[in-house]
Amino acid sequence: MQSRAHLDWPFFDDAHRTLAADLSVWASKNIEHAPSAETREANDLRCRSLVDALGRSGWARYAVPRAYGGAMDELDSRALCIVRETLAYHDGLADFAFAMQGLGSGAITLAGSDALKRAYLPRVASGQAIAAFALSEPDAGSDVAAMQTRARVADDADDTPDDDLHGKSEGADYIIDGSKTWISNGGIADFYTVFARTSDEPGARGISAFVVDAHTTGLSVAERIDVIAPHPLATLRFDRCRVPASHRLGEVGQGFKIAMQTLDIFRASVAAAALGFARRAFDEALAHARGRKMFGHTLADFQLTQVTLADMATDIDAAALLTYRAAWMRDVKRTRATREAAMAKLTATENAQRVIDRAVQMFGGAGVRKGNIAESLYREIRALRIYEGASEVQRLIIGRDLLREVLRDPQASATA
Ligand SMILES: Cc1cc2nc3c(=O)[nH]c(=O)nc-3n(C[C@H](O)[C@H](O)[C@H](O)COP(=O)(O)OP(=O)(O)OC[C@H]3O[C@@H](n4cnc5c(N)ncnc54)[C@H](O)[C@@H]3O)c2cc1C
């Protein structure tokens, strides 16, 4: 049973406590921790059915605002974190299915026109449309601003218009050429939020964001990618892919800012997912230590084990405090909380890796046996230290933000 003691902390409202309790009951009944499916097709199918289940049961509504079919007035960071923590405790793919509905549609919520919001967000909330976020490229991962995918205004002398799109567009269409890689839900998504360079302005300044339907002519899945904790993942190719101007998010050149604002919200939720994995590993390790007989005692009777459990519990509480502080700051203090979200992601993912590794160790041989929960958590946690900004990148964000603050106000304590 997942611990809910932290919900008494002052970060939460009663609505959050009710959400955590209700989702926990639903997840216990409806979501089983499943080891990776045998084939990619089976895994895709399971992912689709999880999105469908989250949509039908109303949980995916927490990924969009109320005016467009969501559960709360605005994207609520604490609710996003509670949902991810709870789902991750039960199953990594269930967390992934929810997380991508939020990340894939987050830029529409933040910067889309009312028409785009009405066209996409209700379908995300109901699980009828699967969302994806396409930022990374083969040569632009941590260095996002190095992206080379281009979106140029169509010159209809050269570019044959697509009848499906022409006429619906406000202004000239865009033609997207390039490649995106490591795209979660790549291959099963119904639409992608795509970031592309619209001008030669250096670095981050010339980037714009677009919503691209998966069936758009010129968009194809170039390669499916298999990873240690399987989930749908692909490299996408854009080859003269025509997108109406009305599908641009925000103003021309605002794409980098929109991407960073989206990540500011969802980074704290990655921390929450790591927390869910860590709590599950802790509970499994504790139960195992109390039951495992050795040397005439149980494993839990030994002080060495108690010290390990203490370290695991302390790592978990430290991660939870930073995670929910970041979410609370965004919801209640109404700040972007970039530094706090980076601290939360860095600490929660690194701590969860340590907690899970200790759980594997406590299980002995069984800990590395396929099908053991500790074994699958060990694979699940690894990518969270890399995606949405690797741990090194989070350190850089924190360090730069501290220095910026000191430059703004030399009297300010750097750690305040
Ligand atoms: C499972 C998975 C799912 C993903 N899903 C998505 C998705 O849905 N959408 C999307 O757009 N992207 C996605 N990504 C991509 C992810 O965001 C990138 O992998 C990540 O940003 C790192 O980029 P990279 O892989 O190119 O590594 P690189 O950028 O090449 O980094 C390699 C190493 O260099 C380190 N490094 C970076 N900067 C510095 C520095 N200044 N000093 C020292 N070291 C540094 C990094 O921390 C890392 O350890 C996903 C990745 C994975 C693994």
Side-chain angles (χ1 to χ4, degrees):
M1 174 74 181
Q2 187 182 3
S3 166
R4 290 210 292 273
H6 64 294
L7 291 163
D8 287 336
W9 291 349
F11 296 127
F12 304 100
D13 297 337
D14 284 344
H16 299 116
R17 298 184 181 101
T18 306
L19 165 64
D22 292 351
L23 178 57
S24 186
V25 170
W26 180 85
S28 303
K29 281 193 196 140
N30 293 284
I31 295 192
E32 195 139 340
H33 183 95
S36 314
E38 286 296 314
T39 63
R40 188 185 292 156
E41 289 70 23
N43 206 51
D44 285 359
L45 205 62
R46 182 155 185 269
C47 197
R48 284 180 197 278
S49 84
L50 282 164
V51 174
D52 184 57
L54 292 167
R56 282 174 192 279
S57 52
W59 306 116
R61 291 168 58 231
Y62 287 90
V64 310
R66 198 191 306 278
Y68 302 95
M72 299 180 86
D73 287 347
E74 298 172 16
L75 281 183
D76 184 276
S77 291
R78 290 164 297 170
L80 287 170
C81 287
I82 287 168
V83 174
R84 289 203 64 181
E85 183 192 336
T86 308
L87 293 175
Y89 183 89
H90 289 272
D91 179 59
L93 204 59
D95 163 59
F96 170 83
F98 173 79
M100 289 315 302
Q101 292 301 89
L103 181 67
S105 69
I108 302 178
T109 297
L110 292 179
S113 63
D114 186 55
L116 278 180
K117 288 178 181 170
R118 275 191 279 111
Y120 289 91
L121 298 182
R123 293 190 292 132
V124 169
S126 63
Q128 287 167 316
I130 297 182
F133 180 81
L135 181 67
S136 305
E137 298 185 3
D139 293 320
S142 306
D143 184 7
V144 175
M147 79 170 54
Q148 289 176 5
T149 294
R150 296 198 76 89
R152 64 185 165 83
V153 174
D155 169 359
D156 279 333
D158 280 348
D159 303 304
T160 317
D162 179 327
D163 288 340
D164 278 354
L165 295 173
H166 231 65
K168 289 185 206 163
S169 180
E170 299 151 11
D173 296 342
Y174 283 88
I175 306 292
I176 304 183
D177 285 287
S179 170
K180 294 283 169 186
T181 194
W182 303 114
I183 306 309
S184 296
N185 275 345
I188 71 161
D190 292 293
F191 69 90
Y192 299 87
T193 299
V194 178
F195 298 85
R197 193 162 281 294
T198 39
S199 84
D200 289 326
E201 283 187 86
R205 284 206 291 279
I207 294 169
S208 301
F210 302 87
V211 182
V212 183
D213 288 320
H215 60 70
T216 308
T217 307
L219 166 57
S220 59
V221 173
E223 183 195 13
R224 288 293 301 265
I225 304 169
D226 295 320
V227 285
I228 53 177
H231 66 249
L233 195 65
T235 300
L236 307 176
R237 192 188 318 283
F238 296 83
D239 186 10
R240 291 166 65 92
C241 176
R242 191 179 191 102
V243 176
S246 58
H247 278 214
R248 197 188 63 229
L249 296 168
E251 297 301 319
V252 176
Q254 281 191 337
F256 187 81
K257 192 171 139 207
I258 293 169
M260 294 307 121
Q261 285 174 344
T262 309
L263 291 174
D264 274 346
I265 299 175
F266 288 94
R267 258 183 200 139
S269 82
V270 178
L275 191 56
F277 291 145
R279 285 196 200 281
R280 182 63 183 264
F282 178 82
D283 288 353
E284 298 291 334
L286 183 63
H288 175 75
R290 294 179 70 211
R292 176 70 175 159
K293 303 267 189 298
M294 60 174 72
F295 307 112
H297 298 272
T298 68
L299 181 57
D301 290 331
F302 297 105
Q303 286 187 336
L304 209 49
T305 309
Q306 292 160 14
V307 167
T308 304
L309 289 169
D311 288 346
M312 292 164 84
T314 306
D315 271 349
I316 288 171
D317 266 10
L321 281 160
L322 286 177
T323 300
Y324 287 108
R325 176 190 64 163
W328 172 84
M329 282 195 69
R330 186 180 163 273
D331 291 345
V332 179
K333 296 300 232 182
R334 305 232 157 229
T335 65
R336 268 186 73 177
T338 303
R339 188 201 309 174
E340 291 78 7
M343 285 178 169
K345 182 181 185 273
L346 171 66
T347 305
T349 57
E350 295 290 333
N351 287 12
Q353 182 83 64
R354 267 200 308 277
V355 168
I356 293 167
D357 187 58
R358 290 183 187 118
V360 168
Q361 194 72 10
M362 248 191 244
F363 271 95
V368 291
R369 184 173 180 170
K370 273 191 172 177
N372 181 293
I373 291 188
E375 179 269 343
S376 64
L377 290 168
Y378 190 77
R379 289 183 288 103
E380 290 284 358
I381 189 59
R382 193 61 187 86
L384 277 66
R385 292 169 57 207
I386 297 170
Y387 65 59
E388 291 188 41
S391 292
E392 293 74 10
V393 172
Q394 303 308 325
R395 289 188 176 96
L396 291 172
I397 292 171
I398 297 163
R400 280 188 201 135
D401 195 61
L402 287 168
L403 290 171
R404 253 198 305 266
E405 183 175 283
V406 173
L407 280 177
R408 267 199 312 267
D409 177 6
Q411 301 301 316
S413 156
T415 53

